Amino acid sequence: MAVITLLTDFGDKDYYVGLFKGDLYASSPSAKIVDISHSIPPYDIVTGAFFLKNVYAHYPKGTIHIARVYEQGLGKQKLLAAKYQNYFFIAPDNGFLTLVFDEKPDLIVEIDMKQAKLNTLEEYYCRVVKEITFNNSIGSIGVATSDYVEKRAMMPVLKEDKIIGNVIHVDNFGNAITNIHRDEIKRFDANKQMSINYRKKDVIERIVENYTDVPPTYSLARFNSLGYLELCINCGHAADLLGLAKGDNIQVLFE
């Protein structure tokens, strides 16, 4: 039984997700379809890739991950399939997959969208899924390629006495998740005084384990389950109350 995950910017107010799921079940009735998220901001491949990058390996090997974010329509954009670390990925050629992968995939294929002459994008996705499900391969549905859109993720900058990073996502609780990882902070001298600077002069002076390590409505910094530094408020919406938004500069200072 194939496991298929879906990640889209379709939202939950329209019929698009339901239509696509119906087509997938019609073409692969035994598949198990799992929703990662359909609330990716429209056209935001950076947020979408952040989601998929951090969850894909939690599924069984051989899972088919479908990412439909910032599609431009049938005939307007190439469709890619890739095999990476024994997982399969299908996504439009807009740089999305290169933001997910840490290195070159085992194989990346441009789906043949001329010979089959199908009528909708959904039909092409279903065709790829069927090929993977029955043959455990993507080699026969297109041509291996190295000609695809590449994007680079925004990475933190490590200097002698500080790390300069950015807010990359604000979650449903208002926590401002940064691109600064625990491993990068460990590179610095643990005996130095550390502080986290945001909005120029606002500072959080230590990293705690849990939200409840500070009183309600107090700000805090902690590492989330993925190991990324996040700025939060215990029982509050940090992005609103601290004035933080995606892309904002965050600095970890060591003195």
Side-chain angles (χ1 to χ4, degrees), residues 195-210:
S195 61
I196 300 163
N197 182 276
Y198 63 98
R199 292 188 61 191
K200 295 185 178 179
K201 295 184 179 180
D202 293 322
V203 172
I204 297 175
E205 294 185 341
R206 66 190 180 99
I207 297 173
V208 300
E209 290 289 331
N210 300 301

Side-chain angles (χ1 to χ4, degrees), residues 161-205:
D161 60 349
K162 63 184 174 182
I163 303 173
I164 304 172
N166 300 89
V167 176
I168 55 174
H169 180 61
V170 175
D171 71 14
N172 190 54
F173 295 94
N175 302 318
I177 301 170
T178 76
N179 60 348
I180 300 171
H181 197 272
R182 178 192 289 112
D183 294 342
E184 288 148 353
I185 290 179
K186 285 182 177 179
R187 298 183 188 182
F188 289 80
D189 187 346
N191 294 317
K192 289 189 174 183
Q193 178 65 40
M194 183 189 68
S195 61
I196 300 163
N197 182 276
Y198 63 98
R199 292 188 61 191
K200 295 185 178 179
K201 295 184 179 180
D202 293 322
V203 172
I204 297 175
E205 294 185 341

Side-chain angles (χ1 to χ4, degrees), residues 163-167 174 176 178 180 195-206 217-221 229-233 237-245 247-253:
I163 303 173
I164 304 172
N166 300 89
V167 176
T178 76
I180 300 171
S195 61
I196 300 163
N197 182 276
Y198 63 98
R199 292 188 61 191
K200 295 185 178 179
K201 295 184 179 180
D202 293 322
V203 172
I204 297 175
E205 294 185 341
R206 66 190 180 99
T217 74
Y218 277 60
S219 60
L220 64 112
L229 183 69
E230 61 180 21
L231 307 189
C232 320
I233 289 179
H237 196 287
D240 288 345
L241 296 174
L242 301 181
L244 293 168
D248 282 357
N249 183 272
I250 304 294
Q251 296 190 36
V252 182
L253 308 176

Side-chain angles (χ1 to χ4, degrees), residues 120-181:
T120 67
L121 271 172
E122 285 74 20
E123 290 180 294
Y124 284 101
Y125 280 101
C126 290
R127 178 171 173 258
V128 179
V129 167
K130 288 179 70 174
E131 179 66 20
I132 296 170
T133 300
F134 290 106
N135 296 319
N136 196 37
S137 171
I138 56 174
S140 65
I141 51 166
V143 178
T145 183
S146 58
D147 179 21
Y148 46 81
V149 177
E150 296 191 55
K151 299 285 187 183
R152 291 187 178 273
M154 187 180 296
M155 302 296 292
V157 177
L158 277 64
K159 297 193 173 184
E160 183 178 351
D161 60 349
K162 63 184 174 182
I163 303 173
I164 304 172
N166 300 89
V167 176
I168 55 174
H169 180 61
V170 175
D171 71 14
N172 190 54
F173 295 94
N175 302 318
I177 301 170
T178 76
N179 60 348
I180 300 171
H181 197 272

Side-chain angles (χ1 to χ4, degrees), residues 13-145:
K13 295 182 179 179
D14 299 299
Y15 61 86
Y16 310 132
V17 174
L19 183 153
F20 185 39
K21 281 186 175 180
D23 286 342
L24 285 170
Y25 277 124
S27 64
S28 302
S30 64
K32 181 175 180 60
I33 299 175
V34 180
D35 297 296
I36 294 177
S37 177
H38 301 294
S39 299
I40 302 301
Y43 322 118
D44 189 347
I45 64 171
V46 174
T47 297
F50 173 74
F51 276 42
L52 189 54
K53 182 182 183 71
N54 287 294
V55 305
Y56 78 84
H58 290 263
Y59 289 85
K61 296 288 187 181
T63 293
I64 303 167
H65 295 292
I66 298 177
R68 300 185 64 179
V69 180
Y70 197 9
E71 287 184 335
Q72 296 180 12
L74 189 62
K76 300 293 184 181
Q77 190 177 51
K78 292 189 293 186
L79 184 63
L80 302 175
K83 187 175 183 181
Y84 178 71
Q85 296 183 352
N86 289 318
Y87 295 92
F88 294 99
F89 298 81
I90 314 170
D93 181 21
N94 56 18
F96 184 99
L97 291 180
T98 61
L99 291 171
V100 175
F101 303 152
D102 290 325
E103 61 264 337
K104 294 286 186 181
D106 304 323
L107 176 65
I108 191 161
V109 169
E110 179 186 341
I111 306 305
D112 183 355
M113 302 181 74
K114 295 180 180 179
Q115 185 174 355
K117 294 182 180 179
L118 303 177
N119 296 314
T120 67
L121 271 172
E122 285 74 20
E123 290 180 294
Y124 284 101
Y125 280 101
C126 290
R127 178 171 173 258
V128 179
V129 167
K130 288 179 70 174
E131 179 66 20
I132 296 170
T133 300
F134 290 106
N135 296 319
N136 196 37
S137 171
I138 56 174
S140 65
I141 51 166
V143 178
T145 183

